[in-house]
Amino acid sequence: MDEKEIEERFEVLSKKILELEKRVDAKLKENEKKLDEKTNKILKQEALLALGIYIKTMEDLKRNLKIIRINIIILGILIVFLYITVIILMLKLIKIF
């Protein structure tokens, strides 16, 4: 093998290495793009999950506040009946004396 053949083989190998590097770079970019797409998809799903949890929590809070409101109304009605009962009993006691 003379020096010229060695140089030619070296050039051929260099070109092949350069081609391989280009392919590897292209494949890396493609994989990065796919990874970014998957990451974005996961982030969207997590955002939707967080939104769903927020909406469910708000609905539960709304339901609980409605129950509390009803309980306050019932308590108010019971207090009114208690006052009426006390007034009636006081009037009966006054009539006795």
Side-chain angles (χ1 to χ4, degrees):
M1 224 187 252
D2 64 348
E3 193 174 307
K4 190 174 182 179
E5 286 179 7
I6 292 174
E7 283 183 23
E8 286 176 3
R9 285 188 176 184
F10 181 75
E11 285 180 29
V12 169
L13 287 174
S14 295
K15 287 180 183 178
K16 286 184 178 181
I17 289 173
L18 191 60
E19 270 184 43
L20 285 174
E21 286 178 349
K22 287 180 183 178
R23 284 188 206 166
V24 167
D25 286 342
K27 192 67 173 176
L28 281 173
K29 286 181 183 178
E30 182 182 327
N31 287 340
E32 285 176 2
K33 185 178 177 182
K34 287 179 182 178
L35 185 62
D36 286 343
E37 289 173 359
K38 287 181 180 181
T39 302
N40 287 337
K41 184 178 179 182
I42 290 171
L43 288 175
K44 286 178 185 177
Q45 289 174 345
E46 288 177 354
L48 286 174
L49 179 63
L51 180 64
I53 290 170
Y54 174 77
I55 290 172
K56 182 173 180 346
T57 302
M58 293 305 289
E59 289 296 319
D60 290 345
L61 181 62
K62 180 180 170 184
R63 183 175 39 86
N64 289 336
L65 289 175
K66 188 175 183 180
I67 291 170
I68 290 171
R69 190 175 130 242
I70 291 170
N71 287 341
I72 289 172
I73 291 170
I74 291 171
L75 182 62
I77 291 170
L78 290 174
I79 290 172
V80 168
F81 282 127
L82 179 65
Y83 278 129
I84 292 172
T85 306
V86 168
I87 292 171
I88 291 173
L89 288 174
M90 287 176 68
L91 290 175
K92 285 186 179 182
L93 282 173
I94 292 174
K95 286 184 183 179
I96 293 177
F97 293 112

